[in-house]
Amino acid sequence: MPQHTPPRPICGHCDGFPTVTITTGQTAPNGQRQTITAHCPACHGTGHTRTVSKAVAA
């Protein structure tokens, strides 16, 4: 029988969009824009929050 995994809650800080690419405003010698990648500090780039287990909560 298949076992179903319950859906994990979406991170409230990033609303499920954990990674963004930001332009620095500079261009490379070939004309492309230079970018940096930033991850959500709350979920560490996963997009989901961790559920607290009963053993940890008690």
Side-chain angles (χ1 to χ4, degrees):
M1 258 186 9
Q3 294 184 1
H4 298 286
T5 305
R8 295 182 357 195
I10 294 176
C11 176
H13 296 276
C14 64
D15 290 328
F17 295 95
T19 305
V20 295
T21 303
I22 303 167
T23 181
T24 62
Q26 299 175 349
T27 56
N30 63 359
Q32 294 182 344
R33 293 193 181 265
Q34 293 181 347
T35 59
I36 58 172
T37 303
H39 300 288
C40 175
C43 66
H44 303 290
T46 63
H48 298 282
T49 57
R50 294 183 182 180
T51 57
V52 179
S53 66
K54 294 178 183 178
V56 174

